[in-house]
Amino acid sequence: MFLSVLSAAGTDPDDTSTPKPPTFEDAQESATNAASWVEQNWSTWLGIGLRIVLIVTIAVVLRILVRRAITKLIDRMNRTANAVDGTALGGLLVNVERRRQRSQAIGSVLRSVASFLILGTAALMILGAFEINLAPLLASAGVAGVAIGFGARNLVTDFLSGVFMILEDQYGVGDTIDAGVASGEVIEVGLRVTKLRGDNGEIWYVRNGEVKRIGNLSQGWSTAGVDVTVRPDEDLDKVKATLAEVGEDIAKDEPWNERLWGPVEILGLDSVLLDSMVIRVSAKTMPGKSLGVERELRWRIKRAFDEAGIRIVGGLPLQPEETPSGDPTAAMAPPSAYASTTSPQSLAASPIPPPPPHLSK
């Protein structure tokens, strides 16, 4: 049948000559077919293009609006911090630099999350506009995300812990904290690592995910406590009056009047022993200033007690007072009759000597 068709067309099936070049009629037919295909599908492609342009436009505008709203929110937080900083309480409780860094970190995280969500959603919508099946893509992305998250679980833990630490304002730059694994002053707060400067000048790099507990020594207020140990026979009223005078004097002098957040309180007797008694003195101070206040209180209390004739004891136990010496022979034993070899008691107690040899026979 195929041969008959070729014969009818006048074509030799055994002819292996070079094919003829396309004629004008062939080009015209191809152009007609292309035009008809475009005419049939141009509305579909135009709709897809307009949909993509609309998705991109909405995503870009929404991203700009969201980022601008986040920026305005961060600026308002900074203005609030500046307004509070002008007050007396704000100078003690609010660190403007710390609030600024915290607000910038929060703003950076929020802007990144918003951009990822908006642009990711727009990309999926564009793929859906091309009628691409998103189920395998989402499944592959989910598996890849689980694999990456499992492999980098420490990194993810550090990042999430850093985000919550910043959002909850657990500590900031300039705070003195005890993180368990290290302690010192915070010099930098990151989303993954926190830098601490120790007491000896060393810098600790603490991963946020490794921190299980945090003791912030720079928030709220601190307590300066001093234990004063005196002799048990001292006049308590005199001791209390002297301590009260020391507390009034330190509250009037600079810079201690700014570091003290309350009067110096005499809490009373903390313990009473046979050779000493301990009086507890306490005061509320600025965060991180308790050690300096304690040293100054000890200095002033020692000087005031020396002027008042009050003796401070402590450390080694008190030595008993010396008693007047009596008869030097009082502790000596009386002489014994056995001390003399010629006394009857010594002769009676001496062993009987053996008899001479000639008498033993």
Side-chain angles (χ1 to χ4, degrees):
M1 181 178 180
F2 179 69
L3 295 177
S4 61
V5 172
L6 291 178
S7 301
T11 304
D12 188 2
D14 297 331
D15 189 7
T16 58
S17 60
T18 304
K20 296 181 180 180
T23 60
F24 179 76
E25 289 78 7
D26 296 335
Q28 185 177 4
E29 183 178 0
S30 300
T32 304
N33 295 333
S36 61
W37 183 85
V38 171
E39 183 179 1
Q40 294 175 359
N41 297 279
W42 74 269
S43 58
T44 303
W45 286 102
L46 180 61
I48 294 175
L50 292 177
R51 187 181 302 175
I52 293 174
V53 171
L54 182 62
I55 292 173
V56 172
T57 303
I58 293 176
V60 171
V61 173
L62 184 61
R63 180 174 178 269
I64 293 174
L65 293 178
V66 172
R67 291 174 65 90
R68 184 173 299 178
I70 294 174
T71 303
K72 288 184 178 180
L73 178 63
I74 300 304
D75 294 340
R76 182 175 299 178
M77 292 174 59
N78 292 331
R79 287 197 300 268
T80 304
N82 294 331
V84 177
D85 185 66
T87 62
L89 182 61
L92 299 176
L93 294 178
V94 179
N95 188 338
V96 178
E97 181 65 19
R98 171 180 170 179
R99 290 288 299 272
R100 186 185 64 82
Q101 293 183 359
R102 175 171 171 259
S103 60
Q104 286 183 353
I106 295 174
S108 177
V109 172
L110 292 179
R111 283 190 289 266
S112 299
V113 172
S115 298
F116 176 78
L117 292 178
I118 293 173
L119 297 181
T121 305
L124 293 178
M125 294 178 66
I126 290 174
L127 293 178
F130 286 105
E131 297 182 357
I132 298 176
N133 188 9
L134 299 179
L137 180 63
L138 294 177
S140 302
V143 173
V146 171
I148 295 175
F150 182 77
R153 57 186 182 277
N154 292 332
L155 181 62
V156 175
T157 302
D158 296 340
F159 179 80
L160 294 178
S161 300
V163 170
F164 283 106
M165 286 179 182
I166 293 175
L167 292 177
E168 296 173 1
D169 195 19
Q170 297 179 6
Y171 55 82
V173 176
D175 289 351
T176 301
I177 66 171
D178 180 4
V181 294
S183 61
E185 181 182 355
V186 180
I187 60 177
E188 183 178 343
V189 179
L191 294 177
R192 193 180 69 87
V193 175
T194 297
K195 293 183 182 180
L196 303 177
R197 184 173 295 279
D199 296 334
N200 297 325
E202 69 277 10
I203 296 180
W204 298 96
Y205 294 84
V206 182
R207 289 171 44 196
N208 295 329
E210 296 294 329
V211 178
K212 304 302 179 183
R213 62 170 181 84
I214 297 175
N216 196 324
L217 306 180
S218 300
Q219 286 184 352
W221 46 268
S222 299
T223 301
V226 177
D227 292 332
V228 183
T229 307
V230 297
R231 299 178 59 174
D233 56 353
E234 295 289 348
D235 187 1
L236 288 177
D237 295 334
K238 183 179 180 181
V239 173
K240 184 176 181 180
T242 305
L243 293 175
E245 184 178 356
V246 170
E248 293 176 359
D249 293 339
I250 194 175
K252 296 177 183 178
D253 297 340
E254 294 182 354
W256 311 108
N257 54 353
E258 296 180 357
R259 299 180 183 179
L260 287 172
W261 283 12
V264 178
E265 299 180 357
I266 304 172
L267 302 180
L269 286 174
D270 195 59
S271 64
V272 179
L273 303 176
L274 294 177
D275 56 353
S276 64
M277 56 182 179
V278 180
I279 302 173
R280 182 75 174 177
V281 179
S282 177
K284 287 184 178 182
T285 67
M286 291 177 58
K289 303 298 182 181
S290 58
L291 293 179
V293 174
E294 289 176 359
R295 297 188 182 101
E296 184 67 18
L297 278 175
R298 294 189 186 97
W299 182 281
R300 292 175 180 253
I301 289 173
K302 179 62 172 65
R303 295 180 57 183
F305 277 15
D306 291 343
E307 295 177 358
I310 302 173
R311 183 178 175 183
I312 298 178
V313 297
L316 295 177
L318 295 177
Q319 300 295 331
E321 296 182 356
E322 297 181 357
T323 57
S325 59
D327 186 5
T329 62
M332 298 176 60
S336 175
Y338 294 97
S340 177
T341 57
T342 59
S343 64
Q345 293 84 352
S346 180
L347 293 176
S350 60
I352 299 175
H358 64 277
L359 297 178
S360 60
K361 295 180 179 179

